[in-house]
Amino acid sequence: MTAPQAPITQDVLTIPRKLPEGGKANLVGLTRDQLRTALIAAGTPEKQAKMRVGQVWQWIYHWGVRDFAVMTNLAKDYRALLADHFVVEVPEVVTRQISADGTRKYLMRIAGGHEIEVVYIPEETRGTLCISSQVGCTLTCSFCHTGTQKLVRNLTAAEIVGQVMVARDDLGEWPVPGEPKNETRLISNVVLMGMGEPLYNFDNVRDAMKVVMDGEGISLSRRRITLSTSGIVPEIAKTAEEIGCLLAVSFHATTDEVRDRLVPVNKKWNIETLLAALRDYPRLSNSERITFEYVMLKDVNDSDADAKRLVKLIQGIPAKINLIPFNEWPGAPYQRSDWERIEAFADIIYKAGYASPIRTPRGEDIMAACGQLKSATERARKSRAEIAAEAGL
Ligand code: SAH
Ligand code: SF4
């Protein structure tokens, strides 16, 4: 068996995004402190700064306004000053596809011409927006389409918050002045489960989530945000302390031998190290339980013995196990486990006392399901043989 060639470290191609001379700074994605600094630097008197931050924040994140001219509780001169120095800029929608099941997939373009995917999943009791944290991903998990994309760059906080703002635009979710407040939230949950490894872009993800959680704007509670990681151990405690959102972990295997092949970062932080970090998470973040994601791959990780080992490994951790039937993509070196197998696996976990929901694939007809995200321009760069070689098959 050939050892996987895939890089397991942060190997991000950094593309300089210096503003053109005289370019205007984007206010989106700044924390309140950063916004204050920016407004003062542009000439806002310090004494007014706190009030101005509050006003501008409310226009951008409560009302969804992008044009300074519309910010009518600000004096005309001050609006002109803002317009001279700043923009309120979000990603541009390139395409929007709507699945037969109502799932929406957006391809959005960001600075440098890069593209990211964002998925909106409506359900009866909630609406979940699945956002991306990077263009592509450096981690090359062998079952994941995003991991085959060669170009990777970290998204800025603006680009991460911007995905939520653009989806709200499309769903018509910003409040309308003078109209009664709409209590049903179309986007009630945000999951960082799109393209990229969020914990390899920690600072930007944290700042973006701070903006999304802020009570005077988009105002999503930290319990409605789930960050999914492949297991970047040193960042897990920081996630609890600095973001405090719910955590999902891409577990996917019950032995290091198999996990090394599926999630190559396991060679850096193995199952035991990962579990130790996870044990501390609920206490540090004051949250109830961790979601263990487990992709069901036929004859690879789906035996009864795997299910029993899994239950043993996570003993003592408040957990729910989310079984994800493998979503195929062109050239994928795996197959989805049979339905009876998935049910038998779920049953063992359930009988051990854990919730074991099987995730219904959504938006399959538009390639919007988990692990299928990859911008069209980058698609199919690696051959089936390359992927199989990297998976050690
Ligand atoms: N990089 C992060 C978040 C994005 S992936 C992570 O790996 O956790 C979101 C989830 O989809 C992860 O659990 C990932 O392992 C899973 N996934 C990736 N490719 C998949 C595929 N083809 N079918 C089903 N799930 C997949
Ligand atoms: Fe990256 Fe997550 Fe895909 Fe692995 S599963 S390659 S970490 S996006």
Side-chain angles (χ1 to χ4, degrees):
M1 196 186 284
T2 39
Q5 304 293 306
I8 55 168
T9 50
Q10 230 163 335
D11 184 23
V12 177
L13 182 64
T14 308
I15 297 152
R17 273 169 293 113
K18 200 165 163 275
L19 286 173
E21 280 307 305
K24 297 178 186 178
N26 190 5
L27 293 183
V28 175
L30 302 185
T31 61
R32 280 179 181 266
D33 285 347
Q34 290 166 341
L35 180 58
R36 180 190 152 86
T37 307
L39 294 184
I40 291 172
T44 306
E46 271 204 41
K47 274 197 297 193
Q48 294 179 11
K50 189 168 182 218
M51 175 181 71
R52 297 297 180 218
V53 167
Q55 289 169 320
V56 171
W57 190 277
Q58 198 185 37
W59 281 114
I60 300 177
Y61 299 116
H62 178 78
W63 298 111
V65 162
R66 311 276 149 82
D67 180 357
F68 296 112
V70 180
M71 302 184 178
T72 44
N73 60 349
L74 302 175
K76 253 207 165 129
D77 292 356
Y78 192 66
R79 282 184 252 162
L81 176 136
L82 291 175
D84 275 349
H85 290 85
F86 303 115
V87 287
V88 180
E89 203 174 76
V90 295
E92 178 196 346
V93 176
V94 183
T95 56
R96 183 191 71 171
Q97 288 167 277
I98 303 186
S99 157
D101 68 17
T103 301
R104 294 177 181 217
K105 181 169 86 168
Y106 308 93
L107 184 66
M108 298 189 192
R109 186 177 293 130
I110 54 174
H114 304 294
E115 289 166 346
I116 47 174
E117 289 185 329
V118 180
V119 178
Y120 175 67
I121 306 150
E123 288 173 280
E124 250 166 50
T125 54
R126 63 180 168 193
T128 304
L129 191 70
C130 177
I131 62 174
S132 294
S133 56
Q134 299 182 310
V135 176
C137 183
T138 51
L139 286 177
T140 62
C141 299
S142 52
F143 53 88
C144 173
H145 204 201
T146 309
T148 66
Q149 186 166 325
K150 283 190 175 160
L151 178 82
V152 180
R153 98 146 157 80
N154 281 335
L155 298 189
T156 62
E159 290 159 348
I160 299 169
V161 178
Q163 295 170 55
V164 181
M165 296 168 75
V166 169
R168 290 195 107 190
D169 291 351
D170 184 53
L171 296 167
E173 205 184 10
W174 299 105
V176 180
E179 286 191 9
K181 199 167 159 225
N182 191 346
E183 297 292 347
T184 46
R185 297 202 64 156
L186 293 171
I187 301 175
S188 62
N189 296 66
V190 165
V191 296
L192 283 146
M193 293 187 186
M195 298 163 73
E197 169 48 60
L199 297 189
Y200 269 168
N201 187 15
F202 186 85
D203 290 358
N204 290 327
V205 165
R206 176 200 55 213
D207 289 353
M209 291 307 105
K210 287 259 149 80
V211 172
V212 169
M213 292 187 281
D214 190 287
E216 279 165 67
I218 299 168
S219 196
L220 275 182
S221 111
R222 65 189 188 91
R223 289 168 197 282
R224 294 195 169 266
I225 298 173
T226 304
L227 183 153
S228 173
T229 180
S230 56
I232 312 303
V233 166
E235 309 296 319
I236 288 179
K238 263 170 76 188
T239 305
E241 283 154 4
E242 297 180 34
I243 310 178
C245 59
L246 301 179
L247 188 72
V249 62
S250 294
F251 209 65
H252 304 326
T254 60
T255 63
D256 281 325
E257 192 263 323
V258 175
R259 195 161 192 270
D260 280 353
R261 260 193 295 144
L262 299 182
V263 187
V265 80
N266 192 68
K267 285 183 273 172
K268 204 161 179 184
W269 297 289
N270 67 10
I271 290 179
E272 195 188 334
T273 319
L274 175 59
L275 285 171
L278 297 176
R279 270 180 218 288
D280 291 337
Y281 193 88
R283 180 180 50 81
L284 291 176
S285 65
N286 187 25
S287 60
E288 284 127 49
R289 57 184 181 175
I290 292 181
T291 301
F292 283 76
E293 296 163 286
Y294 198 98
V295 61
M296 299 298 294
L297 304 171
K298 188 173 188 161
D299 299 331
V300 175
N301 63 355
D302 62 351
S303 68
D304 284 356
D306 279 306
K308 288 175 191 156
R309 264 196 303 270
L310 178 59
V311 172
K312 252 198 161 142
L313 284 170
I314 65 172
Q315 209 168 30
I317 305 179
K320 146 174 123 179
I321 291 97
N322 208 330
L323 299 175
I324 317 175
F326 175 59
N327 294 308
E328 299 201 5
W329 37 272
Y334 300 106
Q335 287 174 299
R336 179 182 291 186
S337 305
D338 295 334
W339 194 250
E340 301 76 59
R341 186 85 297 273
I342 300 179
E343 285 189 328
F345 196 97
D347 203 46
I348 293 173
I349 292 165
Y350 180 74
K351 289 203 172 114
Y354 295 96
S356 57
I358 302 169
R359 194 182 287 174
T360 326
R362 297 287 304 259
E364 280 185 296
D365 52 338
I366 55 169
M367 288 272 292
C370 277
Q372 292 186 327
L373 303 185
K374 181 165 181 176
S375 55
T377 45
E378 294 286 339
R379 202 157 275 153
R381 283 235 182 120
K382 280 190 192 176
S383 67
R384 183 186 288 261
E386 273 182 288
I387 295 160
E390 285 177 5
L393 297 173

